[in-house]
Structures are given as structure tokens and as C-alpha cells.
Amino acid sequence: MPSGKLLEEKGIKVTQARKEILEILETCTQPVSYENIKESISMDKATFYRNISKFEESNLINAIESHDKKRYFELKRKPHAHFTCRVCNQVECIKSGIYVTLQNYDIENVIIQGICPSCKLTNRLP
Amino acid sequence: MPSGKLLEEKGIKVTQARKEILEILETCTQPVSYENIKESISMDKATFYRNISKFEESNLINAIESHDKKRYFELKRKPHAHFTCRVCNQVECIKSGIYVTLQNYDIENVIIQGICPSCKLTNRLP
DNA sequence: AATTATATGCGACTTAGTCGCAAAAAAGGA
DNA sequence: TCCTTTTTTGCGACTAAGTCGCATATAATT
Ligand SMILES: [Mn+2]
Ligand SMILES: [Mn+2]
Ligand SMILES: [Zn+2]
Ligand SMILES: [Zn+2]
């Protein structure tokens, strides 16, 4: 899916910076933080965050806060839940069926916090 | 439940600062941020956060990140999910039955992001 | 009481995210 | 195409959450 199309659909003006962010997010299979990608982007930090905010408002991306207090962004594709581990701080996409409904609410993302299988087993227990 | 008991059960040393934080959390019916309670606490900011980290590690409290990028803390009592609204930033405790299971994971908190009923109705739509 | 371990206050620091403003780039007409 | 208006960008300064080192204070242990 060309990033220009995505923006047009949401009524967001197509600019260099916006295409650049979306193209990076399209290549990522996991949510990424500003720190993760700041080397790969040419725009200013303020521009990055302004556009991230715009994308969030337009419901184009998810933002998932990890226990490391950083926000991880991902393109909204097929809806799925996320898991963040309190021990290793990993943010994980949960593809298997988690279905949550709440009468009268619009649900856009479900984030599950806890301890991941790997940390449960190894000596990384709290 | 006296706050000293809570700490002893988790093997955390009982100090003035820790009791103070827990006593505040016990009076709150909603998750609160550092900003919400900084006027009410007598300890230093570093001490507050060091203890919050300790409480998190011991699974004594939940930390819920809102869309306003602040973290809201609450005492773990009866397990329940949380909802944060992308429009009004409210953090809400969801007492009604949300049950999520994930094989081999320890689930400690479920955070649902989206748009709350009030924002859906009024003109606060995005 | 003396010793040891742990927690605290303070100040300096880091970093995510924000804001105002002037320059640049899009969009829209004439 | 040139001119005008609107929106976005870069830059620099700023805010606020959270962290860290270190000296002092407090709690636990002997
Ligand atoms: Mn995902
Ligand atoms: Mn709650
Ligand atoms: Zn883990
Ligand atoms: Zn709302």
C-alpha cells in the first residue's frame, strides 16, 4: 500500500516527512520508538512528533507504552492486541484471538501488561 | 488494610515515605499521576519514583499510561481492566467483566485504548 | 551502643515531547 | 505562470517525567 494513498484516505496532506514516517512504519514488523528510528529519519524531532500526533488523531497508528516508559508506534493493519512484559520491557504483537468488547465504547487497541513466557521461565523473575 | 501490612507481605521494608504513598493510593478511587499528588506528599521526587518502581516490581500497584503521556498509579485490589480515551485522556477503571487469557503469560493488567461513550456522543469526536 | 544495610534528600542530568516563530513548501486561483 | 493563502517544517528554547551519584539519615542486626 503506497503511503500517499493512506494519507489521502484520511484527508491528511501528503508531505515528504509524512511519507517518510509511514514508509518506515510499513517496513517494521514490531512497534518502534522514536529512539529506534531517529537515525533513519531526516526530519526534525518536532516534525516527527507533530506528525505522529496527527496520525494518532486520525487513527492511522497505534501507540503502545512499554514499561521502559517509551512509546512504541506501529501502523494500524489487521487489529490485534499487544503485550508488554514488565521484566524485559519487550512489546509484542499478539496475533492470536483476543476479543474484547465494551458496550458504547470504541475500542482501538488492547494492551496487556504482565510477564512474558520467556521471563517466567528463566531467572529473570522479579 | 494497614499500609504497613501490605509492605511486609511483599518483603518490602516499611518506611515513612512508603507508608505515605500507599495511604494516598488507598484513598484514591481512580488512578493518579505524580502531578496529581505531588502537593500531598512530603518526600522528594526521586524517592517517590524509586518507591513507585519498587511497588511495580513487587506487583503492588498498576501503572496505566494515558494519552496525555503521563503515568497513572493505583493500588492493586480486585483485578479489573482499564480504559483510556484518546479524546479526553480520561483513565477509567472498568469493573465489569473483561476476561483475557494468554497461554503461558502472566497477565497483570489489561488496558483498553479507544474513545469513551461520552466523547462518542458529544462534539469531541476526532 | 556500635555496625551494617538500606532509604532518603538534594542537585545535576537525560530525554520525550511541546511551543513559538520565521522560513519553506503546498495548494489554489487569476 | 505568478501571486496569495494555508499548512508544514526546522530550529531553538522550553517543560516535565524520570534517573543517577553521592552524602546523610534512618532502620535493622549484633
Ligand atoms: Mn502490533
Ligand atoms: Mn483501576
Ligand atoms: Zn519478558
Ligand atoms: Zn473520552
Side-chain angles (χ1 to χ4, degrees):
Chain A
M1 164 94 91
S3 45
K5 269 275 176 234
L6 266 183
L7 293 169
E8 279 171 22
E9 280 174 14
K10 297 284 183 177
I12 301 175
K13 288 213 176 67
V14 180
T15 67
Q16 241 357 88
R18 288 171 186 169
K19 282 195 285 184
E20 202 181 318
I21 298 175
L22 286 186
E23 272 157 23
I24 288 176
L25 290 183
E26 265 166 359
T27 71
C28 296
T29 58
Q30 290 289 316
V32 289
S33 66
Y34 170 67
E35 202 192 15
N36 290 153
I37 60 172
K38 66 179 169 187
E39 316 293 347
S40 322
I41 58 181
S42 59
M43 81 210 64
D44 183 72
K45 186 169 64 151
T47 302
F48 173 81
Y49 280 116
R50 276 189 284 238
N51 284 327
I52 285 287
S53 293
K54 182 148 282 220
F55 294 166
E56 283 186 270
E57 283 160 23
S58 305
N59 208 18
L60 242 174
I61 63 174
N62 287 317
I64 298 117
E65 178 104 6
S66 170
H67 294 260
D68 63 6
K69 284 127 203 165
K70 287 182 185 150
R71 294 201 308 148
Y72 291 76
F73 309 105
E74 75 171 359
L75 211 54
K76 264 188 203 291
R77 301 186 237 221
K78 215 179 180 17
H80 59 273
H82 293 89
F83 184 88
T84 74
C85 174
R86 153 165 82 84
V87 179
C88 68
N89 294 332
Q90 208 77 40
V91 178
E92 197 183 332
C93 300
I94 303 291
K95 302 291 185 182
S96 72
I98 302 264
Y99 303 108
V100 174
T101 56
L102 251 185
Q103 199 66 250
N104 301 320
Y105 288 74
D106 276 0
I107 295 186
E108 296 173 347
N109 194 15
V110 173
I111 299 169
I112 304 167
Q113 302 181 330
I115 304 181
C116 76
S118 155
C119 288
K120 272 184 74 173
L121 292 175
T122 65
N123 50 356
R124 298 201 291 279
L125 272 219
Chain B
M1 164 95 92
S3 46
K5 269 275 178 235
L6 266 181
L7 293 168
E8 279 171 22
E9 280 173 14
K10 297 284 181 178
I12 301 174
K13 288 214 175 65
V14 180
T15 67
Q16 243 355 91
R18 289 171 187 169
K19 283 195 285 185
E20 201 180 320
I21 297 175
L22 287 186
E23 272 157 22
I24 287 176
L25 291 182
E26 264 165 1
T27 70
C28 296
T29 58
Q30 290 288 317
V32 289
S33 66
Y34 170 67
E35 202 194 14
N36 290 154
I37 60 174
K38 66 179 171 188
E39 315 294 347
S40 323
I41 58 181
S42 59
M43 81 210 62
D44 183 73
K45 184 169 64 152
T47 302
F48 173 81
Y49 281 115
R50 277 190 282 238
N51 284 326
I52 284 287
S53 293
K54 181 147 286 218
F55 294 167
E56 283 186 270
E57 282 160 22
S58 305
N59 208 18
L60 243 174
I61 62 173
N62 288 318
I64 298 116
E65 179 102 8
S66 169
H67 293 261
D68 64 5
K69 285 127 203 164
K70 288 182 186 150
R71 294 202 308 147
Y72 291 76
F73 310 104
E74 76 171 357
L75 211 53
K76 264 188 203 294
R77 300 186 239 221
K78 215 178 179 20
H80 59 273
H82 293 90
F83 184 88
T84 75
C85 174
R86 153 165 81 84
V87 179
C88 67
N89 294 332
Q90 208 77 41
V91 177
E92 196 182 333
C93 300
I94 303 290
K95 301 292 184 179
S96 70
I98 302 264
Y99 302 106
V100 173
T101 57
L102 251 184
Q103 199 67 249
N104 301 320
Y105 288 74
D106 275 1
I107 295 186
E108 296 173 347
N109 193 15
V110 174
I111 299 171
I112 304 167
Q113 300 181 332
I115 305 181
C116 76
S118 154
C119 288
K120 272 184 72 173
L121 292 177
T122 65
N123 50 357
R124 297 201 292 278
L125 272 216

